[in-house]
Amino acid sequence: MTPAKSSSDRTDDPGGARPLRADARRNRERIIAVAEAVFAEKGPSASTEEVAARAGVAIGTVFKHFPTKQALLQAIMKGLLERLTEELSALAAGSRPGEELFDFVAGVVEQAAQKRTVVTLLAETGVDLQVAGPLQLLRDGIETLLVRAQKAGTVREDVRLDEVLALLTGLCHGALHAGWDTDLQRRTLAIVFGGLRGQPDAARSRGSIR
Amino acid sequence: MTPAKSSSDRTDDPGGARPLRADARRNRERIIAVAEAVFAEKGPSASTEEVAARAGVAIGTVFKHFPTKQALLQAIMKGLLERLTEELSALAAGSRPGEELFDFVAGVVEQAAQKRTVVTLLAETGVDLQVAGPLQLLRDGIETLLVRAQKAGTVREDVRLDEVLALLTGLCHGALHAGWDTDLQRRTLAIVFGGLRGQPDAARSRGSIR
DNA sequence: TATGATCGTGAGTCGACACTCACTTTGTCA
DNA sequence: TGACAAAGTGAGTGTCGACTCACGATCATA
């Protein structure tokens, strides 16, 4: 159960070795794209056969590219994380005072409500492996937005990164499983954002939480 | 007013028909108890065989009592909902102004963090069936607390029940999947509770944007 | 205690799915 | 264009888990 010992890994970009044949590269990309759609629809329990079928390849081809279903899921997740990180960079160049963090959270939750991918993958795929790097990058990006928002006075000074991440994952799971409609989603986010903004009227909220 | 009304359900208390043999009743109860523990540990994907083994009965026995794994899950969920509703009633007789709602949410999230049951069942079990009644009762109870909290000025007037439920489920999922420790849990809840309390005017007047 | 209905039993069936491999097809490069 | 390695193929394998059923064990009642 330790596939990660070959000199270079086949499940990702071919570092410095073989350039990957043209048809292979084409198939690999189609498989990832299709798999993302399938898993977004049915969750990670969707069968590899369905992915293969929709991609128009034999199941063996899928397993040639991704030796394990887990590897396929991780490839998708890695792409997703990278996209989110990009989005983060785009927002970082934003105009408004310190609202970028809210925009980002809203965007991710919105996406989570539509696709199972974000949430379920983040939850059910092991995070231990090669996605750790991209995940850290994402975390860093969010932290940047958080600090900026705090400097702008948009978010309470005492809010920490792990709390933001906790809220983010919670909101995503909620949006996914409970199938929030757009309106409910907006209103729920507003409450949470209010909590992030709110003045350290902490006398009440800190003291008497249970 | 007699609550027993369904024509006949085998998976629950036998309303007016057969009294269920002594050994059968004993086994049924042990199975439910054990199943709750097993599913709390491993989630609903745990096998029925494991439940049977830990309960010290043959797998056939489990299926004799609960014709379907789904039925077993629902029986557990029904019990859980009823317990939560009871807890709600207990809180309703509470002393503090309008804090009961917060106490309840904190309690549920706490439980969710420890056991997979609350969350995963609430999410993955179909809610359509015989749990609908208990679920409605729970919802009503939460609404009572919400209204009371609003009358006491503890929660913003414009917060609606579905938002509270959305936050509750989101927080539960977050607590479960991300494995929040007690401290993070407390801090995250504080933020959300702050959002439920805080006047929107104060938060917005600052920048007056958005 | 006898007797019949209710329960319990667990090997077996069925289907789903991840993964393999011997063989064929195709791209690439001399 | 020929030759070979890389890539594709898909029937087959192994496993796991939900659910069944024919039969034996056990409780409740006369």
Side-chain angles (χ1 to χ4, degrees):
Chain A
M1 187 162 169
T2 11
K5 61 165 36 177
S6 67
S7 51
S8 66
D9 47 34
R10 290 185 293 280
T11 63
D12 202 7
D13 88 90
R18 300 135 288 200
L20 209 52
R21 232 168 69 177
D23 53 342
R25 173 154 228 63
R26 222 180 305 132
N27 273 335
R28 186 179 196 282
E29 276 161 12
R30 176 152 64 234
I31 289 169
I32 287 201
V34 166
E36 191 162 345
V38 170
F39 292 134
E41 256 179 53
K42 317 212 167 176
S45 62
S47 74
T48 314
E49 274 203 49
E50 179 163 357
V51 172
R54 279 214 229 170
V57 298
I59 193 173
T61 306
V62 176
F63 280 101
K64 189 146 278 181
H65 284 286
F66 306 95
T68 285
K69 186 183 181 181
Q70 184 78 354
L72 175 56
L73 287 170
Q74 280 177 356
I76 293 175
M77 185 167 162
K78 196 179 165 195
L80 179 70
L81 289 175
E82 285 167 354
R83 250 176 289 146
L84 287 179
T85 305
E86 270 176 41
E87 194 178 318
L88 219 42
S89 312
L91 281 176
S95 50
R96 293 186 301 152
E99 304 279 330
E100 300 95 349
L101 180 65
F102 297 140
D103 291 342
F104 177 73
V105 171
V108 175
V109 173
E110 168 69 33
Q111 219 179 320
Q114 291 170 357
K115 307 184 167 194
R116 307 185 66 94
T117 324
V118 191
V119 184
T120 332
L121 285 189
L122 268 165
E124 300 186 22
T125 305
V127 189
D128 337 313
L129 287 119
Q130 55 177 277
V131 287
L135 190 57
Q136 185 56 47
L137 284 180
L138 183 64
R139 214 186 296 261
D140 292 345
I142 295 177
E143 185 165 27
T144 304
L145 289 194
L146 171 62
V147 170
R148 175 176 317 186
Q150 287 176 321
K151 282 205 177 121
T154 317
V155 167
R156 268 167 45 187
E157 285 291 342
D158 60 346
V159 169
R160 292 199 233 149
L161 177 61
D162 59 352
E163 295 160 22
V164 173
L165 295 176
L167 287 169
L168 181 59
T169 60
L171 288 170
C172 284
H173 277 105
L176 171 62
H177 287 289
W180 302 349
D181 61 276
T182 315
D183 189 50
L184 175 55
Q185 189 178 303
R186 194 182 48 73
R187 289 183 283 122
T188 307
L189 283 177
I191 292 175
V192 172
F193 291 168
L196 287 171
R197 285 196 162 93
Q199 322 74 329
D201 186 326
R204 286 188 300 179
S205 58
R206 287 284 167 179
S208 54
I209 300 295
R210 196 185 170 124
Chain B
M1 183 160 181
T2 43
K5 62 165 84 171
S6 76
S7 49
S8 72
D9 40 30
R10 284 188 295 280
T11 63
D12 201 7
D13 90 272
R18 303 138 282 194
L20 207 54
R21 232 169 69 179
D23 54 342
R25 173 156 229 63
R26 222 180 305 133
N27 274 335
R28 187 180 194 282
E29 275 162 12
R30 178 154 62 235
I31 289 169
I32 287 201
V34 166
E36 191 162 344
V38 171
F39 292 134
E41 257 179 54
K42 317 214 167 176
S45 62
S47 74
T48 314
E49 274 204 49
E50 179 164 356
V51 172
R54 278 214 229 170
V57 299
I59 193 173
T61 306
V62 176
F63 280 102
K64 189 146 276 181
H65 284 285
F66 307 95
T68 285
K69 185 183 180 179
Q70 184 79 354
L72 175 56
L73 287 171
Q74 280 176 356
I76 294 176
M77 186 167 162
K78 197 179 166 196
L80 180 69
L81 289 175
E82 286 168 353
R83 250 176 289 148
L84 286 179
T85 306
E86 269 176 42
E87 193 177 318
L88 220 40
S89 312
L91 281 176
S95 50
R96 294 185 300 153
E99 304 278 330
E100 300 96 348
L101 181 65
F102 297 139
D103 291 342
F104 177 72
V105 171
V108 175
V109 173
E110 168 68 33
Q111 218 177 321
Q114 291 170 358
K115 308 184 168 197
R116 307 185 65 95
T117 324
V118 192
V119 185
T120 332
L121 286 189
L122 268 165
E124 300 186 23
T125 306
V127 189
D128 336 314
L129 289 118
Q130 55 178 276
V131 287
L135 190 57
Q136 186 57 46
L137 284 180
L138 183 64
R139 215 186 295 261
D140 293 344
I142 295 177
E143 186 165 27
T144 304
L145 288 195
L146 172 60
V147 170
R148 174 176 316 186
Q150 287 175 321
K151 283 205 177 120
T154 318
V155 168
R156 271 167 43 186
E157 285 291 343
D158 60 345
V159 169
R160 293 199 232 150
L161 178 60
D162 59 353
E163 294 159 24
V164 173
L165 295 175
L167 287 170
L168 181 59
T169 59
L171 287 171
C172 284
H173 277 104
L176 170 61
H177 287 290
W180 301 349
D181 61 277
T182 314
D183 189 52
L184 175 55
Q185 189 179 304
R186 192 182 51 72
R187 289 183 281 124
T188 307
L189 283 177
I191 292 175
V192 173
F193 291 168
L196 286 170
R197 286 193 159 95
Q199 317 81 329
D201 317 357
R204 272 189 216 174
S205 62
R206 181 191 305 258
S208 75
I209 315 178
R210 189 185 172 92

